[in-house]
Amino acid sequence: MESHKKKELVIGVVMLGAGLIYLFMTMNLPRKGFVDAAFVPYALSMMMCLLGVMQLIASRKPANPEGDNESVSAPADYATVLKTLGLIVLYAALLDTVGFLVITALYLYLQFIVLTPASHRVKHVNYLIIAVIASTSIYFIFRHGFDLMLPAGFLDL
């Protein structure tokens, strides 16, 4: 149990450290207003710092003397992790060529399939609808709300 506490503490320290490094790097970005290109990096760095602090606080809680159900966990699913990493690499490689709308919708659809447990039926139509709506919403929020360009690819909207 003591090694579990040490792991939790190390995870909290690493998360807080990464959040602080990201925050210091974000401070070098030029600012033009409250919502600009630096807004999302600031928000992400603050969330990383908050998660690190929460992890540190959670690692200080006393152990449950009656036994933890958390110690009995499912084995790691390395195939899912490798598929996710492959999808991320493919997404980054094709983003400029194909464009944000199409590649994001395709990525989300495939990621939904990868993350669907084997015991559940894959709902292709639902996944496709959610992926298209999310991709389109994100594109138009960034393009018209934040006035930031995302790669258009061959659509060039």
Side-chain angles (χ1 to χ4, degrees), residues 3 8 10 18 21 23 30 39 48-49 51 63 75 83 90 92 95 98-100 109 121 123-124 136 139 149 153 157:
S3 67
E8 296 293 323
V10 168
I21 290 170
L23 179 63
F39 177 76
M48 285 175 66
C49 289
L51 286 173
K83 289 175 189 175
L90 190 65
L95 183 60
V98 178
F100 181 84
Y109 171 72
R121 186 175 62 87
K123 300 174 183 174
H124 293 285
T136 306
Y139 180 81
M149 291 299 297
L157 293 175

Side-chain angles (χ1 to χ4, degrees), residues 73-78:
S73 62
D77 185 11
Y78 295 113

Side-chain angles (χ1 to χ4, degrees), residues 13-78:
V13 168
V14 169
M15 181 62 80
L16 182 59
L20 290 173
I21 290 170
Y22 193 50
L23 179 63
F24 290 130
M25 290 171 41
T26 303
M27 288 180 183
N28 294 327
L29 295 175
R31 298 297 312 245
K32 295 189 192 269
F34 181 69
V35 177
D36 58 1
F39 177 76
V40 173
Y42 268 111
L44 289 175
S45 63
M46 293 297 192
M47 284 191 274
M48 285 175 66
C49 289
L50 179 64
L51 286 173
V53 169
M54 290 171 54
Q55 183 67 33
L56 287 173
I57 292 170
S59 71
R60 306 252 317 139
K61 286 185 182 176
N64 187 0
E66 298 171 4
D68 286 333
N69 290 337
E70 295 175 14
S71 62
V72 179
S73 62
D77 185 11
Y78 295 113

